[in-house]
Amino acid sequence: AYFNKLKNQLLLVRAFSSLAAEFPEWTLVLYGNSQNAYGDKCVRAAGGLADSGRIRFLPFTDDLPSAYARASIMAFPSTLEGFPLAVIEGMKFAVPPVLVDELPGARDMVDDGVNGIVSRNDVAAYADTLRSLMRDEEIRCRLGANASRICAERYGKSRIIGQWDAVIQRLAGRKL
């Protein structure tokens, strides 16, 4: 993603930074264009964790299978999206999402505690949510499996084509 205030990457950097000492084996990887003032603010907030490679700022990637295969959690702190495809992609690859409650539609995409978690949009709350998932692989696996299943049910190709077909059929029956 393009780094900006609405994408809210700074929340994630600060939350992870508060957990880094507790979870020395974990790394935060952020993909996107961080070459702007907000991205610079995120890099500065990462400080020594960026210098040591614990927080990594990488460019966009087209290799989604590899990126998601290395991921354990899909942290998505954005506060404004039309329809966040990245969340759907993570769910498809069984990576449980962590959204913020200010994201319109967050609770439409994520059944809190079933296929991901919806957190409050503040550093302490987001860090607590991440901590609970970082501590418990079983919960991550359960949420990830549910995310993949629910993603296929709600957003699978046959379901979407069927919905479009119903709309077209309904419109075709109307006189314009």
Side-chain angles (χ1 to χ4, degrees), residues 18 28 39 54 82 84 142 162:
S18 74
L28 172 62
R54 295 282 311 283
R142 179 177 47 81

Side-chain angles (χ1 to χ4, degrees), residues 83-104:
F83 184 79
L85 290 177
V87 173
I88 301 301
E89 292 164 355
M91 289 171 58
K92 178 187 183 305
F93 288 102
V95 180
V98 177
L99 309 180
V100 295
D101 56 4
E102 289 182 24
L103 177 65

Side-chain angles (χ1 to χ4, degrees), residues 6 8 22 28 40 49 56 58 75 83 91 98 133 136 144 160 166 171-172:
L6 294 174
N8 207 16
E22 187 178 346
L28 172 62
D40 291 344
L49 291 172
R56 299 177 61 205
L58 299 179
F83 184 79
M91 289 171 58
V98 177
L133 290 176
D136 196 328
I160 299 301
L171 292 174

Side-chain angles (χ1 to χ4, degrees), residues 1-17 28-31 33-34 36-43 45 55 57 74-81 98-104 106 118-127 130:
Y2 185 78
F3 278 64
N4 68 57
K5 187 175 181 176
L6 294 174
K7 297 284 187 185
N8 207 16
Q9 293 100 333
L10 188 57
L11 171 78
L12 177 55
V13 168
R14 288 178 173 157
F16 182 81
S17 294
L28 172 62
V29 180
L30 296 109
Y31 290 94
N33 182 355
S34 61
N36 58 48
Y38 185 80
D40 291 344
K41 189 175 183 177
C42 291
V43 171
I55 297 180
F57 295 87
M74 202 286 195
F76 195 83
S78 184
T79 60
L80 184 63
E81 299 283 335
V98 177
L99 309 180
V100 295
D101 56 4
E102 289 182 24
L103 177 65
V118 179
S119 176
R120 286 193 333 272
N121 184 18
D122 68 71
V123 173
Y126 208 78
L130 292 175

Side-chain angles (χ1 to χ4, degrees), residues 43-171:
V43 171
R44 282 192 308 276
L49 291 172
D51 296 338
S52 70
R54 295 282 311 283
I55 297 180
R56 299 177 61 205
F57 295 87
L58 299 179
F60 293 104
T61 182
D62 290 328
D63 188 5
L64 297 179
S66 293
Y68 286 114
R70 291 186 301 269
S72 298
I73 299 169
M74 202 286 195
F76 195 83
S78 184
T79 60
L80 184 63
E81 299 283 335
F83 184 79
L85 290 177
V87 173
I88 301 301
E89 292 164 355
M91 289 171 58
K92 178 187 183 305
F93 288 102
V95 180
V98 177
L99 309 180
V100 295
D101 56 4
E102 289 182 24
L103 177 65
R107 294 185 190 278
D108 294 330
M109 297 181 83
V110 171
D111 300 322
D112 192 31
V114 175
N115 64 326
I117 298 179
V118 179
S119 176
R120 286 193 333 272
N121 184 18
D122 68 71
V123 173
Y126 208 78
D128 285 344
T129 299
L130 292 175
R131 178 183 288 112
S132 69
L133 290 176
M134 292 164 79
R135 280 184 178 161
D136 196 328
E137 183 178 8
E138 185 177 315
I139 290 174
R140 289 193 313 271
C141 289
R142 179 177 47 81
L143 292 175
N146 288 341
S148 182
R149 179 184 52 78
I150 289 170
C151 180
E153 291 170 1
R154 292 181 186 170
Y155 309 110
K157 184 177 179 179
S158 61
R159 169 102 188 236
I160 299 301
I161 289 172
Q163 290 174 336
W164 273 109
D165 188 50
V167 168
I168 291 167
Q169 293 300 323
R170 191 170 54 247
L171 292 174

